[in-house]
Amino acid sequence: ELKVEQNPLFLSMQEGKNYTIYCNYSTTSDRLYWYRQDPGKSLESLFVLLSNGAVKQEGRLMASLDTKARLSTLHITAAVHDLSATYFCAVGETSGSRLTFGEGTQLTVNP
Amino acid sequence: DTEVTQTPKHLVMGMTNKKSLKCEQHMGHRAMYWYKQKAKKPPELMFVYSYEKLSINESVPSRFSPECPNSSLLNLHLHALQPEDSALYLCASSQDRTGGWETQYFGPGTRLLVL
């Protein structure tokens, strides 16, 4: 059974600081997704990482994937308040359509 | 256009009611999904339809009955629900290319309260 662990689960940071969210998973997969969810809202797709060494960047967020270590990271650079949300990583079966989500990281960026 | 729409946005129902949730996408996606999400928890997969056929049922109680009338529409029929079924119900869709799957795009959800 595929297990996905995110840490930290809660992150409070100051504006302007950098931080990294980690996503570990238990079995082979080469498809990893990061989603953002604002309170009471749906999930917004941020990044899809499809191969070992993949790196994607959008604004202050950068995601990477190491399939050998079964690890993805979401790095936040110079955080701003608008980044406050819950971030989920999700790992896919090697074949098939099932996604397994991590527990989510609730990020609060304080002025 | 990466939009998935869901109706209604909010639903309150009694334990003896029958209601339906609707989901629609016009992206040409051939895989559609129902998820249930409790507060401060990740989404839990309920059902997957692939090319209008049910491909995954995650042992969901029969009081939830999915239906895929065509490639753009997905319904979730609700009957005799319990208060613990109160949650945000999310619909998602994706391409369903052979050998794998693509990014799932989520709708805004239906917030369901069962009294």
Side-chain angles (χ1 to χ4, degrees):
Chain A
E1 181 190 348
L2 174 59
K3 292 192 190 312
V4 181
E5 289 187 359
Q6 271 182 252
N7 69 85
L9 298 183
F10 299 93
L11 177 55
S12 180
M13 55 191 299
Q14 283 187 306
E15 281 191 328
K17 298 293 186 184
N18 304 333
Y19 210 84
T20 300
I21 299 169
Y22 297 88
C23 176
N24 289 92
Y25 53 98
S26 61
T27 64
T28 301
S29 173
D30 57 1
R31 299 170 188 270
L32 190 133
Y33 299 81
W34 284 95
Y35 287 89
R36 168 183 171 147
Q37 188 173 35
D38 291 293
K41 303 289 187 183
S42 188
L43 278 78
E44 174 191 355
S45 175
L46 294 175
F47 300 109
V48 51
L49 302 166
L50 297 177
S51 60
N52 187 41
V55 177
K56 297 268 182 84
Q57 182 162 6
E58 181 74 33
R60 300 174 189 275
L61 300 177
M62 183 173 72
S64 66
L65 178 62
D66 181 343
T67 57
K68 292 178 182 169
R70 298 178 186 163
L71 171 68
S72 179
T73 60
L74 181 66
H75 187 72
I76 303 154
T77 302
V80 292
H81 180 68
D82 285 352
L83 290 179
S84 297
T86 297
Y87 293 85
F88 291 100
C89 67
V91 180
E93 296 175 330
T94 303
S95 63
S97 49
R98 188 181 277 105
L99 279 183
T100 300
F101 283 82
E103 286 295 306
T105 296
Q106 189 176 319
L107 171 66
T108 303
V109 181
N110 302 304
Chain B
D1 181 11
T2 55
E3 189 179 23
V4 177
T5 59
Q6 290 185 243
T7 56
K9 289 185 180 178
H10 301 276
L11 179 62
V12 180
M13 59 187 292
M15 288 190 283
T16 59
N17 292 157
K18 284 186 182 180
K19 296 286 184 184
S20 297
L21 310 185
K22 296 184 185 304
C23 173
E24 190 166 4
Q25 57 87 15
H26 294 289
M27 295 178 277
H29 290 172
R30 301 312 297 270
M32 296 185 77
Y33 311 77
W34 280 115
Y35 288 87
K36 172 183 177 180
Q37 187 179 28
K38 294 284 228 180
K40 300 192 185 300
K41 290 293 185 183
E44 298 172 30
L45 183 65
M46 300 174 72
F47 302 104
V48 181
Y49 273 83
S50 177
Y51 291 87
E52 294 138 63
K53 287 187 173 21
L54 183 65
S55 61
I56 294 176
N57 176 344
E58 294 284 70
S59 303
V60 179
S62 60
R63 55 185 185 269
F64 294 92
S65 175
E67 179 196 19
C68 189
N70 60 56
S71 60
S72 300
L73 292 174
L74 185 66
N75 298 322
L76 185 63
H77 303 297
L78 313 173
H79 174 53
L81 294 194
Q82 303 296 310
E84 59 265 28
D85 297 322
S86 299
L88 180 67
Y89 288 84
L90 294 163
C91 173
S93 71
S94 69
Q95 297 284 3
D96 187 29
R97 301 198 177 101
T98 301
W101 44 273
E102 307 293 331
T103 298
Q104 293 183 23
Y105 294 94
F106 285 81
T110 293
R111 192 161 297 280
L112 173 67
L113 178 62
V114 182
L115 300 176

